[in-house]
Amino acid sequence: MHKRYGLSRDAVMELFIAVTNGNGGMAQFNHPDLGGMGQWMSGGMIMVGDMFNHGLKQTIDQLCYEIANIIASRSDLWQAPPPVTHSGFNSTAAYNWWPDGLQNPTSTGSQNQMRYAYFAAINRLAIENNGHVTLYDTLNHQIGGFSQQQSGTGSISFTSQYGVVDVNSLPIISIDNQPFSPAQPTVIPEQEQDSDIFATLEKLASLKAKGIISEDEFNRKKAELLARL
C-alpha cells in the first residue's frame, strides 16, 4: 500500500491508526511525510501543515478512504465512541458536543483542553473550552487551518484568505446554547454627571482652603471639570 501512494510505511501506519481511532469517519495525524500535523474527515475538509500541497491532500484523502473501507469491513477494528456528557448538547454521537441543530462539521480538532468544530457551509465555528461551548459567526472567512497559542490565554487562531486571524475577533452567536448579547455600556444621566462634577469642585475648594492643593492646581482641575459640562 505504501508504494502505491508513494509514502513510507510509518506514514501509512500513522494514518491507519488515526482512521481506526476515528472509526473510519475522521483522522488526526502528525507525521513529516503527511505534512506534519493534520486531519481528515470523510466528505469534509483535509488540513495538513503544508496547506498548499494539493497533491499531498489528494493522496491522504484517497488513502484514508481506502483505510476507512477496510475498517468498515472489519467490525473488530471499529471502536465504540465514548458517551457524551455535556448537558444541553447533542448526545447521539461521540463528536457531537457542539450546539443543537449543527450537523456534519467540515472539520474538527482538539488540543490540550480545547476543541473545535468548523461548519463551512453555514459559516459557524464551535469551540469548547473549560466545559463551555461558544458558537461564532465566521463571516466570509474561508478557513484552511487552526492553531492554538501555547502561552498566555492559549486562544485559537485560524488561517483564511485574510491571513492569520484571532478567533476572538469573530462575532459570538451563543454560549452554552444561550443566545449571546453584548453588554450594553452603562449610560449615566446628564444631570447625575453634572452633580458629580459640582461635588468634585466643592471637594477641591475645600482642599484648597486647607492648603492641601495650591491655587494653580485648583484652577487647572476646575477648568478640566467645567469643560465636561
Side-chain angles (χ1 to χ4, degrees), residues 118-125 135-141 173:
Y118 173 46
F119 305 83
I122 58 174
N123 300 324
R124 293 293 183 266
L125 171 66
L135 183 64
Y136 297 90
D137 184 347
T138 59
L139 306 174
N140 64 337
H141 288 285
I173 303 298

Side-chain angles (χ1 to χ4, degrees), residues 84-91 97-98 100 128 131 133 176-177:
V84 174
T85 58
H86 298 289
S87 176
F89 298 93
N90 288 324
S91 59
W97 49 265
W98 43 83
D100 295 329
E128 183 189 49
V133 177
D176 293 339
N177 249 2

Side-chain angles (χ1 to χ4, degrees), residues 67 72 144 151 172 185-186:
I67 295 172
S151 59
I172 297 176
T186 302

Side-chain angles (χ1 to χ4, degrees), residues 3-229:
K3 292 182 179 179
R4 265 193 299 120
Y5 289 98
L7 297 172
S8 64
R9 291 180 182 273
D10 287 344
V12 173
M13 183 57 65
E14 174 83 12
L15 279 183
F16 194 94
I17 293 173
V19 177
T20 300
N21 289 339
N23 293 325
M26 64 177 296
Q28 296 185 46
F29 51 85
N30 186 4
H31 194 280
D33 291 354
L34 304 174
M37 293 185 64
Q39 58 184 10
W40 167 86
M41 285 195 70
S42 178
M45 180 184 294
I46 305 168
M47 293 192 294
V48 297
D50 189 3
M51 60 184 300
F52 297 109
N53 190 336
H54 300 294
L56 177 60
K57 288 183 179 180
Q58 183 177 7
T59 297
I60 293 174
D61 190 38
Q62 293 175 349
L63 178 53
C64 285
Y65 269 114
E66 183 171 345
I67 295 172
N69 289 331
I70 294 174
I71 294 173
S73 64
R74 293 276 305 275
S75 60
D76 58 309
L77 295 177
W78 189 86
Q79 302 180 25
V84 174
T85 58
H86 298 289
S87 176
F89 298 93
N90 288 324
S91 59
T92 55
Y95 304 105
N96 289 15
W97 49 265
W98 43 83
D100 295 329
L102 301 180
Q103 301 294 332
N104 301 322
T106 304
S107 62
T108 62
S110 63
Q111 187 174 359
N112 301 326
Q113 301 301 314
M114 187 181 295
R115 56 182 175 176
Y116 71 87
Y118 173 46
F119 305 83
I122 58 174
N123 300 324
R124 293 293 183 266
L125 171 66
I127 294 179
E128 183 189 49
N129 189 20
N130 295 325
H132 297 285
V133 177
T134 303
L135 183 64
Y136 297 90
D137 184 347
T138 59
L139 306 174
N140 64 337
H141 288 285
Q142 300 172 12
I143 297 177
F146 294 86
S147 62
Q148 182 182 9
Q149 296 177 358
Q150 297 301 315
S151 59
T153 60
S155 63
I156 283 184
S157 60
F158 60 85
T159 304
S160 75
Q161 71 271 34
Y162 303 115
V164 179
V165 181
D166 192 323
V167 163
N168 292 326
S169 66
L170 297 177
I172 297 176
I173 303 298
S174 66
I175 298 177
D176 293 339
N177 249 2
Q178 299 300 315
F180 176 77
S181 297
Q184 296 297 322
T186 302
V187 178
I188 301 175
E190 186 175 344
Q191 291 181 346
E192 291 187 17
Q193 295 183 38
D194 293 348
S195 62
D196 288 344
I197 290 175
F198 290 129
T200 303
L201 283 172
E202 290 179 0
K203 292 179 181 178
L204 288 172
S206 176
L207 292 174
K208 180 174 72 72
K210 295 177 181 178
I212 297 176
I213 62 174
S214 67
E215 183 78 25
D216 289 341
E217 290 174 326
F218 171 77
N219 290 333
R220 185 168 57 253
K221 191 63 180 178
K222 176 182 177 181
E224 293 176 2
L225 292 171
L226 292 177
R228 300 180 187 177
L229 294 175

